[in-house]
Amino acid sequence: MPRLPASLPRLVFAAVLTATAIATPACDRLPGAASSGRAADLKPGQVQVLLSALSEAPSHGFQPGAFGEQGLAERLDDGDRAARAQLRQAALAYARALRGYAIPRRAMDPAWGARSAQYDAEAEFTAAAQAGRLDAWAKALPPSSSQYQALRAAYADYQKIQAAGGWPQLSDSGTLRAGAGGPAVASLRARLAVEDPAADAGAGDRFDAALAEAVRRAQLRYGQHPTGEADADLRTALNTPVEARLAQIRANLERLRWLPRRLEADRIEANSAAGLVDVYRGGRPVLSMRAAAGKPGDETPLLASKVDRIVLNPTWNVPDSIANDEILPKGPGYLQRLGFVETAGEEGVRLVQQPGPENALGQVKFLFDNRYSVYLHDTPAKAAFAREQRSVSHGCVRLERALDLAQLLLSTQPGWSPDRIATTLASGETTEVKLDRPVQVILAYMTAFAQAGGVTAFRPDVYGWDAEVLRRLDAQKPGSA
């Protein structure tokens, strides 16, 4: 696929100068001209601003006509008075949708806890109209994050691929590897070149080193082990229709609109769909690792919070369902060997795993306020990190490099040198550290996302959330956002 542009084309808002407009005062013809914000008072330039903004809606993944905007320009030209009121309502619905409220809260899955801050579209629109800055208001509606901008650009790129006829389906020719040749290799090369400009579609029908490298790039793009051999898993990913990829991008654009508008310079981003965690300092990624998120049925929720406590040598208070279904049936010998004890408390008898090398939470956990009681944690079981599909937990997020994350977060905490961390861990004593500077944490579910170098990556939708997002998004009546 062509490189994604570094930035998206900005919305173009220009007043249309007609014979009628020429007769109005010059300030009224400017896109930013002031008015009361009532439909009847909208100036010609403001009308054009709103029409131009609404014309961009499909580029954000909304269905054409989702806001009741189709045909409005013609009706306005014909002097239809009701069209002005409908234009205003369409603009308000569009504003709410870009601010993450296209799907009403009542229609959201309970696990979709991430939701952008409350937004009063009516008040913001009126204030912008009165101040003569509707154009600036419209431009500020979409998320400004680089991830959203890149994914929106990818949506446009894949629409172009669709318009050109998509890509050919690869036949089942077994695993292709270095040294192979023939029509199947030529077809593979041509298919890879549709999304990867570095793969030369016309370089022949021999599986050479350059093609092996292109295969590895594709495998990384789909979250597969980069073997350089085109096997059945890669063929399945490559044969996914472009329409399905467009649907994935649409769903992920919507989920990005739910996130906080302000992504802090110091933050932790976990992508449950990809099984990846990236840590940022000063707006730059400084630590990346694999992660194991919740399995289907125990999905890791979507949320935004702040890590405010780190627990070294944590105990594990086992949820009753896990205790009764998975642990207690294994018998007293298993419980003793892995350090489980039953403790009595206000909520009755509880199974607790003591700190130690077998503790399911490893040596450290990271706590943040949320209604799901999930957290990030270490693990003694590292095998899952070698898997392509790492959705295996009960909902919390296991970290491949949890101790490195603890060292990083505690590096700004007074009194917590690396030596003190090591000494505390060696003691085996449970120690909770309250961070002086809590760090933003985002738990996301991105099945399509932009990677470094302008590459769009895709992952399987193991939770089935993409289809659910689009079903609920497209079920809304025009202009109802």
Side-chain angles (χ1 to χ4, degrees):
M1 171 183 161
R3 280 184 174 272
L4 302 183
S7 61
L8 296 174
R10 299 182 64 85
L11 301 180
V12 178
F13 301 111
V16 175
L17 300 180
T18 64
T20 302
I22 293 173
T24 62
C27 60
D28 285 353
R29 296 199 303 272
L30 296 174
S35 73
S36 69
R38 294 191 299 268
D41 294 339
L42 290 174
K43 306 299 182 184
Q46 292 179 319
V47 167
Q48 187 59 33
V49 163
L50 299 182
L51 288 173
S52 297
L54 286 165
S55 72
E56 296 286 335
S59 72
H60 292 277
F62 299 114
Q63 295 281 40
F67 306 101
E69 75 278 11
Q70 289 188 327
L72 279 179
E74 293 79 5
R75 290 171 56 196
L76 287 164
D77 286 343
D78 292 341
D80 185 341
R81 293 184 178 182
R84 279 181 172 259
Q86 189 173 341
L87 173 64
R88 187 179 186 277
Q89 287 307 114
L92 293 175
Y94 181 49
R96 285 189 286 268
L98 283 178
R99 287 288 178 162
Y101 287 89
I103 302 174
R105 188 177 297 276
R106 66 182 180 277
M108 298 284 277
D109 187 291
W112 302 347
R115 201 68 195 256
S116 54
Q118 291 290 335
Y119 179 70
D120 190 338
E122 183 92 26
E124 292 287 335
F125 175 89
T126 300
Q130 291 175 347
R133 52 178 181 82
L134 268 185
D135 53 343
W137 170 80
K139 291 175 183 177
L141 290 174
S144 60
S145 70
S146 59
Q147 184 64 232
Y148 186 87
Q149 294 179 37
L151 204 55
R152 184 183 170 208
Y155 188 61
D157 287 336
Y158 278 85
Q159 284 180 311
K160 293 175 183 176
I161 293 173
Q162 182 188 37
W167 44 63
Q169 296 288 294
L170 300 178
S171 61
D172 185 357
S173 53
T175 298
L176 299 175
R177 53 178 60 90
V185 172
S187 296
L188 172 64
R189 191 186 296 275
R191 170 61 186 91
L192 292 171
V194 177
E195 294 177 278
D196 181 358
D200 187 352
D205 62 358
R206 301 302 301 173
F207 199 120
D208 55 14
L211 182 56
E213 190 59 35
V215 166
R216 277 189 282 270
R217 288 195 299 271
Q219 289 169 323
L220 290 171
R221 194 162 65 245
Y222 300 126
Q224 301 174 5
H225 295 310
T227 63
E229 298 183 353
D231 57 12
D233 288 341
L234 178 61
R235 189 164 55 249
T236 297
L238 291 172
N239 281 343
T240 299
V242 67
E243 290 78 12
R245 295 306 186 199
L246 284 166
Q248 278 189 275
I249 296 174
R250 285 187 66 217
N252 286 277
L253 284 170
E254 172 63 12
R255 281 194 287 265
L256 285 173
R257 291 189 284 265
W258 301 346
L259 295 181
R261 284 307 168 105
R262 181 174 179 271
L263 296 179
E264 298 183 5
D266 294 351
R267 66 184 185 276
I268 302 165
E269 293 184 1
N271 181 352
S272 298
L276 298 172
V277 168
D278 294 305
V279 185
Y280 292 79
R281 272 288 176 89
R284 299 174 63 86
V286 295
L287 179 64
S288 296
M289 68 188 79
R290 294 178 181 182
K295 61 183 180 293
D298 288 314
E299 294 87 356
T300 296
L302 309 181
L303 61 85
S305 186
K306 287 197 173 185
V307 173
D308 56 4
R309 289 157 291 157
I310 297 177
V311 181
L312 304 175
N313 300 315
T315 58
W316 180 32
N317 297 314
V318 186
D320 290 340
S321 60
I322 299 176
N324 295 328
D325 297 342
E326 301 180 28
I327 297 177
L328 290 174
K330 295 182 178 179
Y334 176 87
L335 299 180
Q336 183 177 11
R337 187 168 66 254
L338 271 68
F340 287 100
V341 297
E342 291 186 316
T343 62
E346 295 181 358
E347 299 179 357
V349 177
R350 191 74 179 267
L351 189 65
V352 177
Q353 189 179 26
Q354 299 301 305
E358 300 296 334
N359 187 282
L361 308 186
Q363 293 184 284
V364 60
K365 69 177 178 179
F366 306 84
L367 300 178
F368 42 91
D369 289 339
N370 68 91
R371 68 176 185 264
Y372 305 99
S373 299
V374 298
Y375 44 85
L376 313 179
H377 66 88
D378 186 22
T379 177
K382 308 294 186 182
F385 299 129
R387 296 174 52 174
E388 291 180 358
Q389 176 48 251
R390 297 186 286 277
S391 298
V392 297
S393 82
H394 289 95
C396 292
V397 180
R398 306 174 191 172
L399 303 177
E400 181 184 33
R401 300 174 60 186
L403 293 182
D404 289 339
L405 178 59
Q407 294 270 9
L408 181 64
L409 297 188
L410 291 174
S411 65
T412 59
Q413 185 78 5
W416 280 94
S417 65
D419 286 344
R420 183 179 178 187
I421 295 172
T423 300
T424 302
L425 290 173
S427 74
E429 296 183 4
T430 300
T431 304
E432 181 173 299
V433 184
K434 185 175 182 180
L435 296 180
D436 292 342
R437 297 169 54 191
V439 177
Q440 185 181 49
V441 59
I442 305 290
L443 301 189
Y445 181 78
M446 299 294 294
T447 61
F449 54 97
Q451 291 183 316
V455 173
T456 303
F458 296 97
R459 295 293 187 273
D461 178 20
V462 295
Y463 293 171
W465 281 356
D466 285 354
E468 282 301 303
V469 165
L470 294 181
R471 182 180 66 81
R472 298 172 199 213
L473 179 66
D474 294 342
Q476 303 308 308
K477 295 179 180 179
S480 64

